[in-house]
C-alpha cells in the first residue's frame, strides 16, 4: 500500500513509458499542472508524467508497467471534476484518454451507443443528431463520458432521464492488474452476477480505467417548452418543486436559483428576471402533452403564490436562459476577480429541501459569506457557491465552517454530502460521517480485493 | 476458503446457536429440506440447521458465531428462487428472515418506504393501499423483498418501472464479519463513494445478509387498461413489441406468449384466446392518455397483421388474464404430472428478440422437447419452459442441450443468460462464457475482499 510517494517505482515506470510511447509521454511542467486539479480551491497536485493513450490495448500496457513498479495511475478525461479527482497526491502517471474519442457504434433499433471514454457528451450528441435520439445526462460542463461515468455525474436532466448510474448499460475497463474486464452484456437488464457496471460507475477511477462505454439513449423529444416562476421566498419555491414531483409531472428539468443567483444571471447575461427565488423548468413531450404540463405547473405555481409565471416554446429564448444557468458558475466567479469558488453538492430527500435551502441561506448570512444557492430541486440536490478571497484566511475558514455545517445538515436530514460531484479529495472527511464505519469497511474491502497494490487513483474517496 | 464441508465448525456453530436461539434454531429434517432448493430440477441440498432471526442484531450475532467457526451462512426469504440460491452445498446455517416482516416507515412525501427483508411485495402493497402509492416490481411469485433485491428480480412491470436495481434506494446489511453496513443515504441520487446498494442488489447473499431496505415507490396509476393482440407468427409479435419500445409508448407491462403457452392458459383457466402468438399489454395513466396509448398500439398491431386485437378497462377481465399469466408456470406444470420444469431466463437486445425467440421455437421442435416460450418482451427477456420426465435420462439430456444452446444463442446476440433469476448454482457454467475472465476475476476479487473466509452463501455465482 502506497501511503508514501514511491519515487523509485515512478521513475522506472516513467522511463519505460517514455520508451514505449515516445512523444505521447509528456513530462513538461505546464502540461503536468494542467493534468492536476484546476477547477476549485483544492491544491494542484500534478502527476510526474502524462501518458496520452490511444487505445484500450495501450491503456493495458501502461497499467501493466505501472503495476509492475507500484506507480500510481490517475485516469484523466477533460479535467472538469470539482473534487480533486485528477490530482496526484503521491505522484504517478496521468493517463489522458481524451484521444480515445471515437463513437464506435450507434444502434438506433436498441437505442444505445458504444463509445470510447474520451468522447464528450456534446460530441456524442452531435453524432446522434440525425438519429432521432440523444444522450440526456447533462452536468453542464462538456465533460468526457468516461469521467462522467467515473463520478456518477448527473445534472439538470436527472429528474427525468436519470444519472450515469441509470444510463451506462455496460462498460469495459482495464483492471489494476492490467486485465481487461467487460462488466455486462448489452441486454437492457441482467441478473448475471455482481453489478460490475454499477460498481465502476462512481468508483472515481480507483478500481480501473474505463476504456469503453455502452450508453442508453433517449428519443429526442417531439417538442420542448420552458417555464419560469418567481417566488417571494426560498421555501415556497422549493415546496412547489416538491409538489411537482409528488404530482408525477414528468418535468425534464427543474432548477432553482435563489435571489442572489438570479442577480448574477441578470448581470452577466443581461436578462431581466424578477429579483426573487426562481424555478426554471423544461418540459419534453408531444405538443399536446406540453400544453397540459405547462398549464398544470402554472396553476400550481400561482396557487402557491408565485409572483411571476411565464412560459415559452421559443428555442432562442429558452437556450439563452439555459446557457445562463449552465455558465452560471463561471460567470458568477467572473464578477469577483481574484476570488475562488467553493461548491457544495448536498442532496436531501425532497421533503427536506425547503427547510435545508432556507437554513443554508440563513447560515451564509450569519457567517457573512458571499454565496448563492442553486439546485436540481427535482432530485433534492442543491449547490451553494461561496466566493472567497484566497488571501483572506478568516474568510476561507468561515467558508470551510459553512461547508462542514451544510454537509452535516444534509446528513442529519437523511441526505448525502454529494449528489453528483463525487467524493474525490474534497469530501473524504464527510463520507464516514454520512454512511458510518460499515460502509467504509466494505468499500476498503472491495478496494483491497481489486487493487491490493493501491495503484489506481490513490488518495481518493477514502484513506487506504 | 471452504471448498469442502467444515463439519467441526458447523457442529460448533449449531451448538452455540441452539443455546442462543432455543426453539428458533430448528434441525428437523423436513424443515431443513424446505429450506433447501425446492422449485426446479436442481437437487435439494439442505442446511444443517435453520435459524429464524427476528432482528438485525440477531442476524449479526448469528453471522458472528458462524464466522468464528467458519460455518456457511445461507440467507432465506420465501424460497421462491429458481436457481438454487438457498441450497447449502457445503452445509451450514440457513438464516430465515421471513419473521423480519415489519414495514418500518412509509414516507408518502418522498415516495419511499423502509421495510425489513422478510416483507413480501404483496404485504407491502397491502400496507400501501391507502397512500396512493405502490411498489411496482412484480416477479409473479409473492417473494420477500430481501430475496428480490438479492437476485435483482424484475418481472412483468420492468419495462415501465425498472428492476430492483432501480427501486432499492439504500439498504442495511450484516457483512460477513458481522459488522452492520448502511449502503447509502435516503437521497434520490448520490455520488458518495462505491455504489454499495447496487453491489448488494444481485449479490445473491454472497456478500452479506440484507436486514433493511428503503424502496422507491410509484404513484398508483389513475387508470389502467389492457390490450391483447394475436399474431400469425412469433417474429411478427416480437417485432411489434420492439416497435412499441422504439415509439416510446409507455406500456406498463408487455408480455409475449407463444401458441403453446396460449394453449396452456386456455386449458388451465378456461380462457378462449385465439391459438396464436399473443402480446398481452397493460397501460397505466390518465383516462385520456390510456385511450391514446391503446389506440396507438391497436393501430400498430393491425398494421403488422395482427389477426385479433382487443382491449378492456374492465378490472375483472384484466385480472383474470394476468392471473393466468402469473400462474402460468405452475398450471402448465400441472398438465404434465410427474414432469419437472426447466426454466431459462435469457435477455437479449430488443432488436435481436424476434430472431432469438423464433430460433428457440425451432430448436425445441428439433430436439423433440415439450416446451413453450413466454417473455417480458419490452426488455428483451424471455423464458423457455421445458417439461421433462426426470426418469427419462435421454429427455433430460436433450433439455440440458437446449438450455446450453439457448444461453449460447443469447450470448452470441449480445445478451445474457439471466435477465432476472440470477446465476445461483444453475447458471454458473454460463457466466464466464458471457462476460469473459476479466469480469469473473473482478467478482472473485470483490468476494475475496469482503468475505475472505467464504462463509456467505458459498457455491453460488462463481467457484471460489
Amino acid at each position: 500500500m502506497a501511503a508514501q510517494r514511491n519515487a523509485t517505482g515512478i521513475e522506472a515506470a516513467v522511463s519505460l513509458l517514455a520508451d514505449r510511447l515516445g512523444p505521447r509521454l509528456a513530462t513538461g511542467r505546464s502540461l503536468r499542472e494542467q493534468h492536476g486539479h484546476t477547477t476549485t480551491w483544492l491544491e494542484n497536485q500534478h502527476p510526474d508524467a502524462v501518458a496520452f493513450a490511444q487505445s484500450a490495448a495501450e491503456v493495458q500496457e501502461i497499467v501493466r508497467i505501472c503495476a509492475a513498479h507500484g506507480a500510481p495511475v490517475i485516469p484523466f478525461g477533460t479535467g472538469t471534476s470539482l473534487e480533486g479527482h485528477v490530482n496526484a497526491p503521491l505522484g504517478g502517471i496521468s493517463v489522458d484518454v481524451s484521444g480515445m474519442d471515437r463513437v464506435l457504434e450507434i444502434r438506433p433499433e436498441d437505442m444505445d451507443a458504444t463509445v470510447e471514454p474520451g468522447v464528450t457528451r456534446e460530441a456524442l450528441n452531435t453524432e446522434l443528431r440525425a438519429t432521432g435520439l440523444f444522450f440526456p445526462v447533462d452536468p453542464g460542463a462538456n465533460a468526457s463520458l468516461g469521467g462522467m461515468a467515473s463520478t456518477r455525474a448527473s445534472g439538470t436532466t436527472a429528474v427525468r432521464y436519470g444519472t450515469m448510474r441509470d444510463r451506462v448499460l455496460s462498460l469495459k475497463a482495464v483492471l489494476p492488474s492490467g486485465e481487461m474486464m467487460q462488466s455486462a452484456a448489452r441486454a437492457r437488464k441482467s441478473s448475471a452476477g455482481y453489478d460490475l457496471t454499477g460498481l465502476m460507475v462512481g468508483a472515481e477511477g480507483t478500481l480501473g480505467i474505463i476504456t469503453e462505454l455502452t450508453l442508453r439513449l433517449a428519443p429526442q423529444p417531439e417538442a420542448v417548452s420552458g417555464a419560469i416562476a418567481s417566488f417571494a421566498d426560498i421555501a415556497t419555491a422549493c415546496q412547489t418543486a416538491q409538489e411537482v414531483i409528488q404530482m408525477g409531472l414528468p418535468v425534464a428539468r427543474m432548477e432553482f436559483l435563489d435571489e442572489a443567483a438570479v442577480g448574477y444571471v441578470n448581470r452577466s447575461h443581461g436578462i431581466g428576471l424578477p429579483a426573487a427565488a426562481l424555478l426554471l423548468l423544461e418540459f419534453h413531450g408531444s405538443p399536446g402533452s406540453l400544453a397540459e404540463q405547462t398549464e398544470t405547473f402554472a396553476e400550481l405555481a400561482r396557487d402557491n403564490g408565485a409572483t411571476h409565471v411565464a412560459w415559452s416554446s421559443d428555442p432562442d429564448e429558452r437556450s439563452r436562459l439555459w446557457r445562463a444557468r449552465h455558465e452560471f458558475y463561471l460567470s458568477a466567479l467572473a464578477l469577483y476577480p481574484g476570488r475562488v469558488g467553493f461548491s457544495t453538492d448536498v442532496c436531501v430527500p425532497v421533503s427536506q429541501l425547503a427547510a435545508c435551502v432556507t437554513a443554508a441561506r440563513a447560515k451564509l448570512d450569519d457567517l457573512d459569506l458571499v454565496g448563492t444557492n442553486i439546485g436540481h430541486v427535482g432530485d433534492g440536490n442543491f449547490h451553494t457557491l461561496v466566493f472567497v478571497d484566497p488571501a483572506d484566511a478568516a474568510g476561507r475558514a468561515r467558508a470551510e465552517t459553512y461547508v462542514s455545517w451544510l454537509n452535516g445538515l444534509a446528513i442529519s436530514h437523511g441526505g448525502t454530502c454529494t449528489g453528483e460531484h463525487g467524493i474525490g479529495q474534497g469530501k473524504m472527511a464527510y463520507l464516514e460521517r454520512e454512511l458510518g464505519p460499515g460502509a467504509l469497511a466494505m468499500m476498503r474491502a472491495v478496494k483491497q480485493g481489486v487493487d491490493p497494490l493501491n495503484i489506481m487513483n490513490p488518495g481518493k474517496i477514502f484513506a487506504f
Side-chain angles (χ1 to χ4, degrees), chain A:
Chain A
M1 277 178 238
Q4 284 192 308
R5 182 178 164 82
N6 170 14
T8 321
I10 293 170
E11 200 180 321
V14 170
S15 158
L16 284 165
L17 288 167
D19 288 350
R20 173 63 192 79
L21 297 171
R24 288 189 291 104
L25 189 85
T27 53
R29 185 168 179 100
S30 86
L31 225 143
R32 290 191 288 129
E33 281 179 359
Q34 285 165 28
H35 283 76
H37 182 75
T38 56
T39 55
T40 67
W41 60 279
L42 290 167
E43 184 195 356
N44 180 284
Q45 297 168 318
H46 50 75
D48 292 274
V50 180
F52 291 89
Q54 291 189 324
S55 69
E58 208 165 76
V59 173
Q60 277 190 287
E61 251 188 288
I62 295 166
V63 170
R64 283 198 179 119
I65 287 171
C66 289
H69 296 277
V73 176
I74 303 104
F76 188 96
T78 58
T80 50
S81 145
L82 296 170
E83 292 295 347
H85 294 100
V86 298
N87 258 343
L90 303 173
I93 317 300
S94 174
V95 180
D96 184 322
V97 297
S98 61
M100 292 172 64
D101 61 354
R102 289 178 303 161
V103 175
L104 299 172
E105 199 171 351
I106 299 170
R107 303 175 199 86
E109 68 287 5
D110 288 318
M111 295 196 284
D112 66 35
T114 300
V115 303
E116 290 187 319
V119 174
T120 66
R121 64 175 186 86
E122 287 180 8
L124 176 58
N125 278 325
T126 301
E127 288 272 321
L128 290 171
R129 212 169 270 170
T131 63
L133 300 167
F134 78 119
F135 184 69
V137 182
D138 180 359
N142 186 23
S144 69
L145 291 158
M148 284 170 62
S150 292
T151 55
R152 211 182 291 133
S154 47
T156 53
T157 58
V159 64
R160 168 75 167 264
Y161 295 101
T163 72
M164 290 304 280
R165 179 183 197 270
D166 308 298
R167 288 283 159 189
V168 181
L169 205 50
S170 79
L171 54 80
K172 291 183 182 170
V174 174
L175 299 179
S177 61
E179 192 170 7
M180 183 63 71
M181 185 275 291
Q182 180 191 332
S183 67
R186 197 165 60 77
R188 290 186 94 71
K189 67 179 194 185
S190 164
S191 286
Y194 300 163
D195 182 3
L196 299 182
T197 312
L199 184 57
M200 291 299 296
V201 171
E204 305 187 1
T206 64
L207 299 176
I209 302 189
I210 296 171
T211 56
E212 192 179 300
L213 296 146
T214 296
L215 302 168
R216 294 178 66 161
L217 309 174
Q220 286 171 13
E222 200 184 330
V224 176
S225 73
I228 55 172
S230 300
F231 296 88
D233 58 69
I234 288 169
T236 318
C238 291
Q239 178 64 31
T240 303
Q242 183 187 328
E243 289 173 23
V244 166
I245 297 303
Q246 283 166 7
M247 292 170 69
L249 207 64
V251 284
R253 307 184 200 246
M254 182 161 58
E255 298 290 299
F256 165 79
L257 287 82
D258 71 5
E259 190 179 329
V262 169
Y264 295 133
V265 165
N266 281 341
R267 266 187 284 166
S268 59
H269 285 77
I271 298 177
L273 293 166
L278 182 81
L279 286 184
L280 174 58
L281 285 83
E282 193 168 277
F283 300 98
H284 294 176
S286 65
S289 74
L290 289 190
E292 193 183 304
Q293 289 177 49
T294 317
E295 270 164 46
T296 307
F297 170 72
E299 196 176 320
L300 172 69
R302 281 198 210 94
D303 285 352
N304 285 354
T307 54
H308 175 85
V309 182
W311 54 91
S312 167
S313 54
D314 175 49
D316 290 342
E317 195 175 327
R318 236 186 21 251
S319 68
R320 193 166 62 111
L321 260 179
W322 284 104
R323 197 172 331 111
R325 167 63 190 86
H326 275 146
E327 292 169 1
F328 174 77
Y329 177 69
L330 292 176
S331 55
L333 204 54
L335 297 170
Y336 297 103
R339 294 204 177 199
V340 293
F342 281 64
S343 172
T344 68
D345 180 34
V346 298
C347 186
V348 296
V350 173
S351 65
Q352 309 300 307
L353 188 65
C356 289
V357 183
T358 304
R361 179 72 260 167
K363 189 74 178 180
L364 284 171
D365 295 343
D366 277 0
L367 288 168
D368 194 24
L369 287 166
V370 176
T372 178
N373 291 300
I374 58 171
H376 316 307
V377 286
D379 312 311
N381 184 201
F382 73 96
H383 308 293
T384 305
L385 301 173
V386 185
F387 304 107
V388 180
D389 177 352
D392 171 10
R396 183 163 164 163
R398 291 201 310 279
E400 280 169 5
T401 299
Y402 174 81
V403 171
S404 174
W405 169 86
L406 181 68
N407 289 336
L409 180 81
I411 291 166
S412 70
H413 284 73
T416 173
C417 65
T418 176
E420 57 185 13
H421 294 171
I423 297 292
Q425 298 180 309
K427 299 204 172 75
M428 287 171 64
Y430 303 103
L431 186 62
E432 185 156 354
R433 248 165 94 181
E434 179 174 325
L435 297 178
L440 268 288
M442 188 166 185
M443 290 186 201
R444 286 196 182 96
V446 169
K447 172 77 170 173
Q448 171 71 42
V450 176
D451 183 20
L453 301 173
N454 192 24
I455 62 161
M456 290 303 312
N457 211 4
K460 313 297 159 66
I461 307 181
F462 42 73
F464 179 77

